[in-house]
Amino acid sequence: MDIAAIFKRAWEITWKHKGLWVLGFLANCSGGGSQGSSNISRIPEYKIGGGEFPEIERWFQSVPDETWIIIGIAVVCGLLLLALLFWVLAAIGNGGLIAGFQMAETGESVTLGSAFQQGISYFWKLLVIQLIIGLASLLVFGSGIIGGVLFSILTLGLGLICLIPFICLLVPIGIAISIYTLLTQIALIVEELDIGAAFRRAWEIFRSNPGQIILMGLILGVGGFVVGLILAIPFVLMALPFVAGLVMGTDTSSLTGLTMTMIGILLYLPVLLIAGAIMRTFITGSWTLTYRDLIKAKTA
């Protein structure tokens, strides 16, 4: 397997068929599929003393508790529906990306509409694959966590030391499961298999080529992490006006700095979304081409 050739071809398809970027954006709706990190910085806390906004306080106090409960339930339901929508869009986007790269490799015309239609046609099967692997992972990891907690309680906390290696293994195991899930989805679309056959085929490819798959995963994972760090640098720079305003210590400087920071973030957000969509398109395409190369080598 020529990794350099795969990356070159994946980038050529990514750049040529820019409509796939839309599917990359949709695939990113789940928040998964790419490696990275998020840091939560502490923001200075400002407290407003009671009585500064009496009308607002009286309005909040006049709202019955039952109303707040209804509002809370509505917000939770809305968030759940939004998460479900993002999950559906991500599945369609991921399926469309795989199908788009497959069409490009087989010489078919690749358009956003055709790839999106393919994503919709495979949606339910992709959803079932995610549910099966997700529930199986939840069962295994959940049982392990519960067992570990009980073991720690019975050993008065000393068992936690024995669980450290297991905890350290969770990250690579999680990454391996993510790769296997993607390979199963690729097998489903590229070879037009049913769900059971796709699981078996992906496991066969995974088991027969562990070194090549791990190497590809490391390159894409580390590369994605580095690109993510580079894309995060502007956020640090955009925070400088706000920090400078806080250092100056006046209300005007703080408000001006905050305004400049927020404007910068709003202007940079589209760039970040486009870059993320391109990166997701390239990564999914690289895995699709990798799978095609591996099955060719196996049948050769």
Side-chain angles (χ1 to χ4, degrees):
M1 184 178 71
D2 190 343
I3 294 180
I6 288 175
F7 286 153
K8 180 181 178 182
R9 179 59 177 157
W11 178 250
E12 289 175 350
I13 296 174
T14 299
W15 190 253
K16 180 179 180 181
H17 304 288
K18 296 180 177 61
L20 295 178
W21 298 0
V22 177
L23 298 176
F25 173 77
L26 295 180
N28 276 335
C29 287
S30 63
S34 59
Q35 287 73 40
S37 63
S38 59
N39 297 318
I40 301 177
S41 302
R42 290 187 60 85
I43 300 176
E45 182 179 355
Y46 297 92
K47 295 183 179 180
I48 298 177
E52 295 186 17
F53 301 97
E55 295 183 2
I56 296 178
E57 290 181 7
R58 283 196 297 269
W59 182 83
F60 275 108
Q61 293 173 359
S62 66
V63 177
D65 293 339
E66 294 79 4
T67 303
W68 288 118
I69 294 175
I70 294 174
I71 293 174
I73 294 175
V75 170
V76 171
C77 292
L79 291 176
L80 290 176
L81 289 175
L82 192 61
L84 179 61
L85 175 62
F86 283 165
W87 190 22
V88 170
L89 292 176
I92 294 175
N94 200 45
L97 284 177
I98 297 171
F101 275 83
Q102 171 68 4
M103 288 188 291
E105 285 297 278
T106 55
E108 300 178 49
S109 176
V110 181
T111 63
L112 172 59
S114 60
F116 185 79
Q117 187 62 40
Q118 288 290 316
I120 293 177
S121 65
Y122 286 106
F123 165 70
W124 288 109
K125 291 183 178 180
L126 296 176
L127 186 64
V128 170
I129 289 174
Q130 290 182 348
L131 285 174
I132 292 175
I133 294 181
L135 291 175
S137 301
L138 181 62
L139 180 62
V140 173
F141 286 116
S143 301
I145 292 173
I146 294 174
V149 171
L150 293 176
F151 181 67
S152 300
I153 294 175
L154 293 175
T155 58
L156 302 178
L158 296 178
L160 285 175
I161 300 176
C162 302
L163 294 176
I164 291 177
F166 172 74
I167 295 174
C168 293
L169 286 175
L170 291 180
V171 173
I173 290 175
I175 294 174
I177 291 175
S178 297
I179 294 175
Y180 175 65
T181 303
L182 182 56
L183 290 178
T184 304
Q185 294 172 333
I186 294 173
L188 178 82
I189 296 174
V190 170
E191 300 193 73
E192 299 182 355
L193 303 174
D194 58 35
I195 295 175
F199 273 114
R200 292 190 295 270
R201 183 62 162 165
W203 175 246
E204 180 184 352
I205 295 298
F206 196 104
R207 184 183 57 185
S208 303
N209 306 275
Q212 293 170 308
I213 291 176
I214 291 173
L215 179 60
M216 178 62 70
L218 286 174
I219 294 174
L220 290 175
V222 174
F225 179 75
V226 172
V227 172
L229 288 180
I230 294 174
L231 292 175
I233 292 176
F235 282 112
V236 178
L237 299 178
M238 284 182 286
L240 293 180
F242 179 55
V243 174
L246 293 178
V247 171
M248 294 178 66
T250 64
D251 293 340
T252 302
S253 62
S254 298
L255 181 59
T256 302
L258 178 60
T259 302
M260 293 176 62
T261 296
M262 294 303 298
I263 292 175
I265 291 175
L266 291 176
L267 292 176
Y268 180 63
L269 187 59
V271 177
L272 183 65
L273 293 176
I274 293 173
I278 295 173
M279 187 166 66
R280 183 58 180 264
T281 302
F282 174 77
I283 290 175
T284 302
S286 296
W287 277 115
T288 303
L289 299 183
T290 297
Y291 182 88
R292 286 177 54 86
D293 267 23
L294 292 177
I295 60 175
K296 285 180 181 178
K298 190 173 182 62
T299 56

